[in-house]
Amino acid sequence: MDNSTAGFVAKGLISNETFAYLMVLFRLVLNPAVGILGLCANVINVVVFYKMGLTDGVTQNFFILSISDGCLASATIIASVSYILYTQVYVGVGGPEYTAQVVYCASILIGAFPHSVSMATTVVIAVIRCLCVAIPLHVKFLMTARRQLAVILAFSSCSAGLLIYAFSPSRAVLVNNPLTNTPFILIVDLKWFEYTVYSNATSYIGFIIVIICVIVLTVSLNRSSSFRGKSASRVSTSVSTGEQTKDGRKEARVIKTVVFVSIVFIVCYLPAMTVTMIGTLVKEFSTVGIYRNANLLNLMIMDLFTAINASVNIFIYYFFNTRFRTTFNTVFGKLPK
């Protein structure tokens, strides 16, 4: 190995200078902006879905998803503000700097709960709609809105219990960074292995389930569109046929909403899946390995995409859910064209 190659490997894929600029971009600009957008969007979502009524499972589940996404966006904002405070405002001050570091770490840990609730709710929404396509006559009676709520609450309770078990023993200690000779806060005594196993397992299972549901729903949507096209070519004055067409269009809009929400979920969680897979295959791709800067960059991208996933659903609801759009326009007025 020549000297240039050795130097490249020692530095990793991203230099410290480049990484410093990227960190400023993500932590000080992109994450706060997306977090504020997500909080505002989900407050609107919660108001609109509440006005729509929570009697049916679809509206109820989107309402829950909006609450958890709003909490996740709030955690993103808190993390961004605390990061700005201890890196830009309270540098070298001592007490306030350490307090901001603790708040930053706590917001990341606490944000794991709404993150898991959002994932569970998205999976339930996708699976229920899939079952409605496969066995429509049974799902309405078997998976009522209350039973769907029970599934989400059961998973959320398990997640809360695991997070309390993994994070409650943690404590913040002040240590010295040997590279910069500056003190910083380190969170220790976390049951990180248990949390990582649980988080990775549920994330991969949920990710795969949503992908399967998107495929099934997309095929069903294409078939129904083809069927409606053939039906429209036939002249009929039957009232029942008109009602069936109306119901079919309503179901198609619901499926489109679920499909697009699920696609956004899949795209936004790809970085998380990628980081986990690369970390498993490449030992040096870690926070302390040769490729630590690349790893940390991927973690920042993962955080950003998670925040994006919690922020953009309002646009899907508005353009593909007629009831949401009507209620939104009634409460807030029509959007300017």
Side-chain angles (χ1 to χ4, degrees), residues 190-249:
L190 292 169
K191 296 184 182 297
W192 196 251
F193 175 77
E194 292 86 343
Y195 169 72
T196 302
V197 171
Y198 173 81
S199 177
N200 288 346
T202 54
S203 296
Y204 273 107
I205 292 173
F207 190 73
I208 293 171
I209 290 175
V210 172
I211 290 176
I212 294 173
C213 290
V214 166
I215 294 173
V216 173
L217 291 174
T218 301
V219 171
S220 172
L221 193 62
N222 290 334
R223 287 179 178 176
S224 63
S225 298
S226 176
F227 175 77
R228 286 197 305 272
K230 292 179 181 178
S231 299
S233 63
R234 303 169 186 170
V235 179
S236 175
T237 58
S238 172
V239 176
S240 62
T241 302
E243 289 295 327
Q244 289 177 1
T245 302
K246 182 179 179 180
D247 292 340
R249 289 175 178 172

Side-chain angles (χ1 to χ4, degrees), residues 60-77:
Q60 167 197 273
N61 295 342
F62 282 137
F63 177 78
I64 296 172
L65 181 61
S66 299
I67 293 176
S68 58
D69 282 349
C71 293
L72 188 57
S74 300
T76 300
I77 295 172

Side-chain angles (χ1 to χ4, degrees), residues 6-330:
F8 172 77
V9 175
K11 285 176 59 179
L13 300 176
I14 302 174
S15 67
N16 291 333
E17 293 78 10
T18 302
F19 178 74
Y21 287 117
L22 291 172
M23 180 172 284
V24 170
L25 174 64
F26 279 88
R27 298 298 190 195
L28 304 186
V29 180
L30 297 178
N31 282 9
V34 175
I36 293 171
L37 170 64
L39 179 59
C40 295
N42 284 292
V43 168
I44 294 173
N45 289 342
V46 168
V47 172
V48 173
F49 283 125
Y50 181 79
K51 291 287 186 180
M52 289 170 60
L54 307 177
T55 54
D56 64 286
V58 175
T59 305
Q60 167 197 273
N61 295 342
F62 282 137
F63 177 78
I64 296 172
L65 181 61
S66 299
I67 293 176
S68 58
D69 282 349
C71 293
L72 188 57
S74 300
T76 300
I77 295 172
I78 294 172
S80 299
V81 171
S82 57
Y83 180 84
I84 292 172
L85 288 176
Y86 84 79
T87 60
Q88 303 296 320
V89 180
Y90 295 133
V91 180
V93 174
E97 179 184 4
Y98 305 145
T99 301
Q101 289 182 29
V102 172
V103 172
Y104 172 77
C105 295
S107 63
I108 293 176
L109 297 180
I110 294 173
F113 177 67
H115 175 273
S116 63
V117 175
S118 292
M119 173 171 286
T121 306
T122 303
V123 171
V124 169
I125 291 171
V127 169
I128 293 299
R129 192 47 47 187
C130 234
L131 293 176
C132 286
V133 170
I135 46 175
L137 299 179
H138 297 82
V139 174
K140 183 177 180 181
F141 300 99
L142 292 178
M143 292 303 296
T144 61
R146 288 188 176 183
R147 289 177 179 173
Q148 295 175 42
L149 177 61
V151 172
I152 295 173
L153 290 178
F155 182 86
S156 301
S157 299
C158 292
S159 296
L162 189 280
L163 292 173
I164 292 173
Y165 167 77
F167 297 156
S168 59
S170 64
R171 56 192 178 90
V173 297
L174 189 64
V175 298
N176 192 67
N177 188 337
L179 297 178
T180 60
N181 196 30
T182 55
F184 70 99
I185 293 295
L186 181 65
I187 305 298
V188 298
D189 294 338
L190 292 169
K191 296 184 182 297
W192 196 251
F193 175 77
E194 292 86 343
Y195 169 72
T196 302
V197 171
Y198 173 81
S199 177
N200 288 346
T202 54
S203 296
Y204 273 107
I205 292 173
F207 190 73
I208 293 171
I209 290 175
V210 172
I211 290 176
I212 294 173
C213 290
V214 166
I215 294 173
V216 173
L217 291 174
T218 301
V219 171
S220 172
L221 193 62
N222 290 334
R223 287 179 178 176
S224 63
S225 298
S226 176
F227 175 77
R228 286 197 305 272
K230 292 179 181 178
S231 299
S233 63
R234 303 169 186 170
V235 179
S236 175
T237 58
S238 172
V239 176
S240 62
T241 302
E243 289 295 327
Q244 289 177 1
T245 302
K246 182 179 179 180
D247 292 340
R249 289 175 178 172
K250 180 181 178 181
E251 177 66 16
R253 285 194 296 268
V254 174
I255 292 177
K256 285 181 180 179
T257 304
V258 174
V259 166
F260 278 107
V261 169
S262 300
I263 289 175
V264 169
F265 171 86
I266 292 169
V267 171
C268 290
Y269 276 86
L270 271 176
M273 302 296 107
T274 304
V275 168
T276 305
M277 291 183 64
I278 295 177
T280 303
L281 298 174
V282 182
K283 184 178 180 181
E284 293 295 333
F285 190 79
S286 66
T287 55
V288 295
I290 292 175
Y291 305 116
R292 58 185 175 276
N293 286 347
N295 174 264
L296 293 171
L297 174 60
N298 277 275
L299 291 176
M300 290 192 296
I301 294 174
M302 180 183 73
D303 291 341
L304 177 63
F305 272 72
T306 301
I308 291 173
N309 178 66
S311 305
V312 300
N313 285 343
I314 186 173
F315 301 106
I316 300 173
Y317 302 148
Y318 187 85
F319 290 108
F320 293 99
N321 189 321
T322 305
R323 284 184 62 205
F324 182 92
R325 183 168 59 251
T326 302
T327 307
F328 179 96
N329 292 337
T330 301

